[in-house]
Amino acid sequence: MRHVISVLVQDHPRVLNRITSLFARRGFNLESLAVGTTHVPGLSRISLVVSGDDHTLEQVEKQLNRLIEVLKVTDHSEPHVERELCLVKVHVAGVEERLAIKDIQEAFRARVVDVAQKSLILELTGDSGKVGSFIEALRPFGILEVMRTGAVAMSRGERTLKVREKREAV
Amino acid sequence: MKGAEVLLKALEREGVEVIFGHPGGAIMPTYDALYDSKIRHILVRHEQGGVHAATAYARASGRVGVVMATSGPGALNLVTGLADALMDSTPVVAITGNVPRALIGTDAFQEADVTGVTMPITKHNYLVQDVNDLPRVVREAFHIAATGRPGPVLIDIPKDVQLSEFTGSFEVELDLPGYKPTLKGHPKQIERALDALEKAERPILMVGGGAQHAHGELLAFAERTGLPVITTLMGLGAFPGNHPLWLGMPGMHGTVAANRAIHHADVILAIGLRFDDRVTGKVSRFAPHAHTIIHVDIDPAEIGKVVRTHIPIVGDARQVLREMLKGAKPLRLATWWRELEEWRTRYPLRWKPRPHLQSQEVIRAFAEATGGHAIVTTGVGQHQMFAAQFFPVTRPRSFLTSGGLGTMGVGLPFAIGAKVARPEELVIDFDGDGSFQMTLQELATLVKYKLDVKVVVLNNGYLGMVRQWQDLFHAKRYSEVYLADSNPDFARLAEAYGIRGVKVERKEDLMKGVEAVLSADGPVVAEFKVYHEEGVFPMIPAGGAAEDMIIEHPAEKEEVEA
Ligand SMILES: Cc1ncc(C[n+]2csc(CCOP(=O)(O)OP(=O)(O)O)c2C)c(N)n1
Ligand SMILES: [Mg+2]
């Protein structure tokens, strides 16, 4: 099963290294990883897409929690918003293709962010499924490059990834 | 005040009395400051010896062991020992020098990415970039090493940071918002656990290294309930090895009684252990009749990692046992004990006597001569298992061995660390001829600090444990395990260091040899030439289950069903 996990960390040097090294060492399957700073100075937030059975996911969460610089781990099983940003550079053979690509762009609500004689860069935001379909739709035209950020996620409603203690107090 | 002095002052504030270490270029400012410090330094001959000694110091004393090394090669020599300390959950702080900050990343002389290399084999590590961070980093390192599930922490300090002028403060607060170990077990779960035990017909209590500090509570709990107790290799000594409730060690070379008890148990209370594969064998066939497994561990990640757990209790073994003791009642286990007693008397640990001198009888002779009253260290191999089987220690923190990593060569440095920690104790290293040769340079450390350690080399002329597997599972194809053609004369080697050497070759000289070792004033290296075709039994082959237990060598075969 595919899981999206958010991890709140202290943005110390090598903290990302600790997380990827943990995944490598324990043989966890990491599909994507996205990281960025937060509104709180000193804290970064990481979104991980992980696949595995329940036992593996339980271990992923527990092993992440063992890292000293990890403050909070959430497996987004509850209603949440998931988004990925994708840039696709697609080949444009002629006017006909340009029009066909425009149709796809509109259907997906993508944006054109670069126009050249023989290519376009399209930008799309959406969940991973939508991004995947978008890429497939463009494939017949000749995809030159793709860059996906990997999913980022956030719980819906009041629930937040608060900087509260990750384990019960002593 | 310079960084190096700040470091030593911070160590003093942590109560550090001893550092095991070896100097070199990038740590020289700290060694210069050490010259004026009241902290004792034990100069080892190889950094690996230092980290193992610090590990044993920690395990024998319950305090944090400290080791120090220079950059690059010095720090990398710590790698095995750090991994060993991590696997066996031992609090160690390693301090390493590194090249000056400006040279980091340039492939400078003796530069290595030590924080990178040690990331997966430490509980945490630090690269100190600012001299003013030193007091906080040291405070955090000791806190992290010693609390929760203990483990090694490394502090890497560039040389120029050691030389920088300090303008900070020693009054530091721990700032570890992501680190809050749970110590107190959940009352509801404790209640459920007691309830399950009360209803059990064939319950057992299994304890590991995480219960070494809880020996008092453990004894009280076992005696109150009457539960049979099984101690893992790391748990030896947490419960007295001469107690009627003790069934011995489980797993690959465990007792028949312990393994059968696990096989037939309906409720298992496991405390401070992690169900290593050497204990469980094939997990799907482990404890097939246990409908309730209660797992007490301070590390939540261990619970449910290997075996399915029905009642998880995250907490410190000692605190949880104290709580459990409040509700513990004597259990009615007479029928169960009759079965256990039958297995125990029918299959005691034993060996087939041969005309040759045998490892088992050597160890048994030392156990009898000392009344089990010693700190025992071992290498890794057959001799290690024989020591676990035939030297039943009766006190906690007295059986120091490499459990999780199985590191050959820990015997002598462990003995050094133990003797430094508890100088009043008799310390015996039961070592293998192979294992001993991995770190025997530390004999010089015995001499330098007049450490009265008794090294008993069980010389079978082979990498015996590997030979045993080749014998059983590789059609006796003895590939690269023969040592006897090139082993040194261990007694004369000791004498070259100025250490008393003893050599025993014949069965009839055994007692004389034991006497010579124990009565010697000062360190001894005693070589016992033992039978080379011995096997360690009982044995559950790797990946097997209790039912696959081999009690004696197949050639002298007697298999039992569980
Ligand atoms: C550093 C290291 N290398 C290799 C091994 C694999 N190994 C396990 S036991 C053993 C043989 C040990 O020989 P010895 O110390 O003579 O003990 P014996 O089994 O003969 O009693 C070996 C090579 C190990 N555990 N550690
Ligand atoms: Mg040997």
Side-chain angles (χ1 to χ4, degrees):
Chain A
M1 251 267 280
R2 178 179 179 275
H3 292 247
V4 186
I5 295 175
S6 288
V7 187
L8 197 64
V9 299
Q10 294 180 288
D11 60 2
H12 292 170
R14 297 215 192 211
V15 63
L16 201 56
N17 206 349
R18 288 186 201 280
I19 287 173
T20 52
S21 148
L22 169 69
F23 272 70
R25 178 163 81 93
R26 301 262 173 199
F28 299 146
N29 204 345
L30 185 57
E31 285 176 12
S32 75
L33 181 154
V35 60
T37 54
T38 65
H39 64 299
V40 183
L43 296 187
S44 288
R45 179 161 166 153
I46 300 172
S47 284
L48 305 167
V49 177
V50 185
S51 60
D53 57 18
D54 289 353
H55 177 257
T56 308
L57 262 293
E58 182 185 324
Q59 272 297 305
V60 167
E61 224 177 295
K62 285 175 164 181
Q63 296 293 347
L64 282 169
N65 265 318
R66 288 180 75 193
L67 298 177
I68 308 289
E69 289 145 336
V70 166
L71 304 186
K72 181 109 177 109
V73 181
T74 294
D75 185 347
H76 292 286
S77 47
E78 80 293 356
H80 66 280
V81 179
E82 188 187 320
R83 288 291 179 272
E84 191 175 342
L85 176 70
C86 169
L87 298 176
V88 183
K89 188 181 286 180
V90 63
H91 177 64
V92 185
V95 182
E96 216 171 289
E97 284 80 3
R98 198 172 288 273
L99 287 172
I101 291 170
K102 196 166 171 21
D103 282 350
I104 295 172
Q105 175 217 330
E106 278 168 5
F108 280 87
R109 293 179 210 215
R111 300 202 305 151
V112 176
V113 290
D114 181 67
V115 181
Q117 210 168 12
K118 288 225 151 29
S119 71
L120 281 176
I121 298 180
L122 298 166
E123 174 199 310
L124 178 80
T125 308
D127 62 23
S128 301
K130 182 178 172 190
V131 171
S133 317
F134 181 59
I135 291 170
E136 284 319 306
L138 292 172
R139 196 182 289 281
F141 301 94
I143 292 176
L144 303 173
E145 314 185 64
V146 167
M147 179 64 223
R148 301 172 67 158
T149 56
V152 296
M154 201 172 267
S155 303
R156 290 187 184 273
E158 307 294 290
R159 191 193 280 259
T160 61
L161 200 60
K162 268 201 295 283
V163 196
R164 77 175 121 87
E165 288 155 357
K166 67 180 177 189
R167 290 167 214 145
E168 55 192 275
V170 175
Chain B
M1 197 192 263
K2 300 263 189 286
E5 298 157 81
V6 174
L7 170 66
L8 291 176
K9 191 166 167 204
L11 293 176
E12 281 170 25
R13 290 168 69 105
E14 295 299 330
V16 173
E17 291 171 3
V18 188
I19 297 175
F20 300 89
H22 198 290
I27 192 79
M28 280 182 67
T30 297
Y31 271 87
D32 187 65
L34 195 63
Y35 204 68
D36 301 319
S37 168
K38 58 177 197 282
I39 297 179
R40 181 180 181 203
H41 182 268
I42 305 281
L43 175 64
V44 291
R45 296 295 160 101
H46 187 296
E47 291 86 350
Q48 184 184 357
V51 61
H52 289 324
T55 299
Y57 177 91
R59 271 204 238 147
S61 67
R63 306 174 59 188
V64 177
V66 183
V67 60
M68 195 148 80
T70 190
S71 67
L76 295 175
N77 276 344
L78 301 178
V79 164
T80 306
L82 292 172
D84 188 87
L86 184 72
M87 284 286 245
D88 288 339
S89 308
T90 308
V92 169
V93 168
I95 293 157
T96 50
N98 205 334
V99 300
R101 279 170 296 179
L103 293 184
I104 286 182
T106 67
D107 305 316
F109 179 63
Q110 293 194 326
E111 186 195 355
D113 177 9
V114 171
T115 38
V117 167
T118 60
M119 188 177 286
I121 52 167
T122 50
K123 185 173 174 184
H124 195 55
N125 63 18
Y126 292 90
L127 174 61
V128 182
Q129 297 277 11
D130 180 344
V131 65
N132 292 335
D133 286 343
L134 270 171
R136 179 185 54 82
V137 167
V138 169
R139 183 75 277 278
E140 289 182 4
F142 276 76
H143 179 72
I144 292 169
T147 58
R149 177 177 180 176
V153 178
L154 179 133
I155 309 175
D156 200 22
I157 313 174
K159 188 170 185 175
D160 61 323
V161 172
Q162 297 168 49
L163 291 166
S164 297
E165 198 57 43
F166 179 69
T167 54
S169 158
F170 280 92
E171 300 315 317
V172 288
E173 300 236 333
L174 279 180
D175 179 24
L176 298 168
Y179 180 71
K180 293 272 183 301
T182 305
L183 301 181
K184 212 168 152 287
H186 198 288
K188 192 100 213 128
Q189 300 291 47
I190 289 178
E191 202 178 301
R192 282 181 64 206
L194 288 169
D195 195 49
L197 286 170
E198 225 169 293
K199 294 196 181 105
E201 284 173 17
R202 295 180 306 279
I204 56 167
L205 170 51
M206 289 177 76
V207 298
Q212 286 284 350
H213 67 296
H215 54 95
E217 290 77 7
L218 182 63
L219 184 63
F221 182 77
E223 289 186 338
R224 173 88 53 85
T225 54
L227 280 166
V229 182
I230 293 167
T231 46
T232 68
L233 183 66
M234 295 307 295
L236 292 174
F239 192 78
N242 55 359
H243 197 285
L245 292 173
W246 189 61
L247 297 183
M249 184 171 81
M252 184 172 277
H253 294 298
T255 60
V256 174
N259 282 325
R260 282 205 184 172
I262 294 170
H263 183 83
H264 291 280
D266 59 353
V267 176
I268 296 179
L269 170 58
I271 304 179
L273 55 83
R274 57 187 182 80
F275 294 103
D276 182 270
D277 54 271
R278 287 299 191 256
V279 166
T280 60
K282 194 169 180 60
V283 176
S284 59
R285 292 170 68 200
F286 176 73
H289 304 290
H291 56 68
T292 306
I293 294 182
I294 306 158
H295 192 180
V296 180
D297 205 285
I298 194 149
D299 182 356
E302 285 306 335
I303 295 180
K305 188 182 84 175
V306 177
V307 301
R308 75 216 126 75
T309 303
H310 308 88
I311 306 181
I313 303 180
V314 178
D316 166 64
R318 194 161 175 200
Q319 293 207 18
V320 171
L321 273 166
R322 259 190 214 153
E323 289 305 313
M324 290 186 79
L325 206 47
K326 289 182 190 158
K329 295 190 194 106
L331 304 172
R332 277 187 303 274
L333 302 174
T335 324
W336 180 220
W337 267 110
R338 261 196 298 282
E339 270 181 274
L340 297 170
E341 206 58 76
E342 146 90 16
W343 298 328
R344 188 155 62 174
T345 43
R346 176 128 176 249
Y347 303 105
L349 288 168
R350 61 186 162 194
W351 63 90
K352 192 182 175 69
R354 304 176 197 279
H356 279 86
L357 186 61
Q358 290 169 274
S359 297
Q360 300 96 315
E361 63 185 336
V362 175
I363 292 163
R364 176 56 66 79
F366 275 101
E368 279 170 4
T370 59
H373 213 79
I375 297 181
V376 169
T377 73
T378 76
V380 169
Q382 294 184 314
H383 66 280
Q384 173 192 29
M385 292 297 113
F386 288 140
Q389 292 179 335
F390 298 107
F391 201 112
V393 291
T394 53
R395 298 169 304 158
R397 305 192 181 285
S398 54
F399 194 87
L400 308 180
T401 193
S402 173
L405 199 65
T407 313
M408 286 172 69
V410 298
L412 177 57
F414 270 12
I416 289 171
K419 191 71 190 176
V420 170
R422 286 159 66 187
E424 71 292 351
E425 292 277 349
L426 170 63
V427 178
I428 308 177
D429 165 26
F430 290 112
D431 226 325
D433 49 330
S435 295
F436 181 52
Q437 290 184 75
M438 287 208 172
T439 52
L440 64 70
Q441 76 284 346
E442 301 306 335
L443 287 175
T445 310
L446 293 186
V447 176
K448 188 172 175 75
Y449 299 97
K450 302 190 172 53
L451 297 172
D452 183 1
V453 161
K454 316 297 188 193
V455 180
V456 174
V457 181
L458 295 158
N459 182 7
N460 54 7
Y462 272 99
L463 298 169
M465 186 58 96
V466 180
R467 186 190 180 287
Q468 175 171 348
W469 284 46
Q470 290 170 338
D471 174 26
L472 295 170
F473 314 120
H474 293 270
K476 298 187 190 297
R477 288 154 56 86
Y478 298 124
S479 178
E480 302 299 319
V481 286
Y482 188 55
L483 305 181
D485 57 357
S486 43
N487 271 340
D489 180 326
F490 290 102
R492 283 178 56 203
L493 181 78
E495 278 155 13
Y497 278 96
I499 293 174
R500 171 106 196 263
V502 170
K503 187 185 255 176
V504 180
E505 289 175 285
R506 294 176 311 167
K507 219 175 178 76
E508 51 273 30
D509 296 332
L510 171 60
M511 292 323 294
K512 226 167 58 198
V514 171
E515 171 65 21
V517 172
L518 294 178
S519 64
D521 185 18
V524 183
V525 174
E527 172 186 357
F528 289 78
K529 281 219 162 178
V530 294
Y531 182 60
H532 65 285
E533 286 189 20
E534 206 68 66
V536 184
F537 294 102
M539 178 176 194
I540 300 175
E547 294 149 301
D548 309 323
M549 189 160 29
I550 310 167
I551 299 222
E552 278 169 305
H553 192 284
E556 302 151 353
K557 187 158 159 186
E558 183 197 351
E559 282 191 40
V560 287
E561 326 90 57

